[in-house]
Amino acid sequence: MAAPRKYSLELRERAVRMYRTSDPKPQIKKLAVDLGVHPEALRGWIRQAEADAGERDARLTTDERAELMALRKENAQLKRANDVLRTASAFFRGPARPDPAQVTALLDEHPHLGVECVLRELSIASSTYYRRRRAEREPCERRRRDVELTEQTKEIHVDSGGIYDSPRACTPSSDARASTSGANGSSA
């Protein structure tokens, strides 16, 4: 948001009109004192009015300034989007649609990218991200049970001396199934 103007727009227009219509041209300093404005402010208004009228080439017109500001803003947004996409592509290195856990990890590792910007560039609904975050803080019953089972599975793996393979460690219930299938005469 722009800073509030010290001098009203009407005062600016009146001051520039007084300077431009008077003949001979008054000294800017004297006119500024008469109007109760700073001389450099009046000088800047006059130069800008001359640029807008096409009388001064070394200065941008008001429309050109507005366009330049809009382009700079768009450029900053595009740079931020490129940064997000570059970081995300290096981070994911896999399928086109990243797993929500990967997005969460990306944002944890690169907080400077900003949540909304990352989600917008990756076309991910913010509700998906925030639901995932809430589930991490307050896991549901199934997730809590999964954590318990994972710990039990790791214990079984360690207790067995590493007999059970780590990617698919057997739980006590699968041991029972294996022994019953062997008893039926079927072979693996």
Side-chain angles (χ1 to χ4, degrees):
M1 188 164 115
R5 295 179 185 262
K6 185 174 179 180
Y7 302 110
S8 69
L9 193 57
E10 294 81 24
L11 176 64
R12 288 171 162 227
E13 291 171 353
R14 190 181 74 165
V16 169
R17 191 173 44 250
M18 285 175 65
Y19 177 80
R20 292 184 69 135
T21 57
S22 61
D23 195 34
K25 298 285 184 224
Q27 288 184 345
I28 291 177
K29 190 171 186 178
K30 185 175 183 295
L31 181 60
V33 170
D34 291 344
L35 294 171
V37 300
H38 194 278
E40 287 305 312
L42 179 58
R43 186 181 322 279
W45 300 340
I46 293 168
R47 287 181 178 165
Q48 189 61 52
E50 290 171 350
D52 289 346
E55 300 168 5
R56 186 179 283 269
D57 292 331
R59 192 175 178 111
L60 295 175
T61 66
T62 304
D63 293 337
E64 290 171 337
R65 281 178 179 267
E67 182 182 7
L68 181 62
M69 284 177 41
L71 290 172
R72 284 182 176 163
K73 183 177 180 180
E74 182 182 0
N75 192 20
Q77 289 173 342
L78 291 173
K79 282 182 179 181
R80 195 168 39 250
N82 281 342
D83 187 33
V84 166
L85 292 174
R86 187 179 315 106
T87 306
S89 68
F91 192 83
F92 296 134
R93 299 251 190 247
R97 181 104 175 147
D99 179 46
Q102 290 177 315
V103 175
T104 303
L106 170 72
L107 289 167
D108 287 344
E109 217 172 286
H110 302 281
H112 67 280
L113 297 175
V115 173
E116 295 303 322
C117 186
V118 168
L119 298 178
R120 182 179 57 248
E121 295 305 323
L122 297 177
S123 301
I124 296 174
S126 59
S127 60
T128 303
Y129 171 77
Y130 289 113
R131 189 178 318 113
R132 172 96 183 159
R133 282 294 194 189
R134 187 174 57 246
E136 288 174 353
R137 284 191 314 270
E138 308 159 7
C140 64
E141 180 60 34
R142 178 180 175 187
R143 290 203 188 272
R144 287 192 296 265
R145 181 73 178 134
D146 286 348
V147 169
E148 291 172 17
L149 289 174
T150 302
E151 291 304 316
Q152 288 176 1
T153 305
K154 288 178 182 177
E155 287 176 24
I156 291 170
H157 178 71
V158 170
D159 292 345
S160 70
I163 294 174
Y164 296 120
D165 196 19
S166 58
R168 292 186 347 186
C170 296
T171 60
S173 60
S174 61
D175 284 340
R177 276 193 303 250
S179 63
T180 57
S181 66
N184 291 340
S186 60
S187 60

